[in-house]
Amino acid sequence: MAIDFKKLRNKYFQSLTLILLSLLFVNCSGGGSGGGDSSTTTQYNYSETASDHKTTEYNNQYGLASIKAAEGYAALGGYTEGGPIKVAVLDTGIDSDHSQLDGQIASGGYDYVNSDSDPEDDHGHGTHVAGIIAAEKTGTGMHGVCPNCDIIPLKVLNSSNAGYWADISSAIDRARNKGAKVINMSLG
């Protein structure tokens, strides 16, 4: 039985964003398959202030200001290096050619709708969500809440926003196995 997620809305997006923001500062090993050199850890700069993060990009985005992301970055000490946090996005896929996401896509994505390893977005919602989470800082336009995060795209919804519970369950298992620290399921 297919589920129509058009009417469902993620009422907990702000909570997810705050969780994502806090995970941004967790010591983590380097990229790869979740392992890595344990000497590669996040470096904190506790002398940062919120104004250090309020760039033109930041100021052009209502969402980052509304969740007080700059204050969160400063309160948690910011970061200067470290392995990316993997965030699985279970949605309509991802536009792998998007200029602010092409460098943020981790290996291990899968398309449950078409049963292949190319989770290309044919709706747009999954790409939109991935951008809110991890769009790169480029100095123009916008950036995500966690621009150092990598996205594991898991396409569980088709172009009409319909999907199957079994695919969602399998995608959650895959996300865990691929090292995701956060799983986003706004599902429509």
Side-chain angles (χ1 to χ4, degrees):
M1 170 192 248
I3 304 156
D4 184 358
F5 290 99
K6 284 183 182 179
K7 294 183 181 179
L8 294 179
R9 296 290 180 241
N10 184 356
K11 297 178 183 178
Y12 304 102
F13 178 73
Q14 191 170 27
S15 296
L16 169 70
T17 303
L18 294 175
I19 291 167
L20 188 62
L21 184 59
S22 65
L23 283 173
L24 182 69
F25 304 102
V26 173
N27 287 343
C28 56
S29 300
S33 61
D37 180 0
S38 62
S39 67
T40 305
T41 58
T42 304
Q43 302 299 312
Y44 298 97
N45 178 357
Y46 291 104
S47 64
E48 292 183 359
T49 66
S51 62
D52 293 329
H53 297 281
K54 291 183 178 177
T55 63
T56 301
E57 269 182 317
Y58 178 93
N59 291 331
N60 287 334
Q61 297 179 78
Y62 168 79
L64 292 179
S66 72
I67 65 166
K68 300 183 187 290
E71 288 80 359
Y73 297 145
L76 295 172
Y79 62 92
T80 56
E81 62 183 66
I85 295 167
K86 292 182 179 180
V87 178
V89 175
L90 281 64
D91 211 299
T92 60
I94 193 167
D95 178 355
S96 60
D97 295 324
H98 192 287
S99 63
Q100 286 187 286
L101 293 173
D102 57 358
Q104 310 298 90
I105 301 173
S107 63
Y110 191 76
D111 181 341
Y112 290 88
V113 174
N114 298 302
S115 302
D116 62 38
S117 60
D118 182 23
E120 198 62 33
D121 195 347
D122 54 6
H123 179 275
H125 190 266
T127 301
H128 181 84
V129 169
I132 291 169
I133 295 169
E136 297 172 304
K137 281 188 173 185
T138 62
T140 61
M142 52 113 8
H143 63 77
V145 174
C146 183
N148 277 9
C149 287
D150 281 348
I151 299 294
I152 303 171
L154 299 167
K155 182 180 176 83
V156 295
L157 301 177
N158 64 22
S159 61
S160 298
N161 261 357
Y164 295 93
W165 288 117
D167 291 342
I168 294 167
S169 177
S170 295
I172 292 169
D173 286 341
R174 184 178 187 95
R176 290 178 45 231
N177 292 334
K178 296 297 179 180
K181 300 293 185 196
V182 176
I183 298 174
N184 173 279
M185 299 188 304
S186 56
L187 300 175

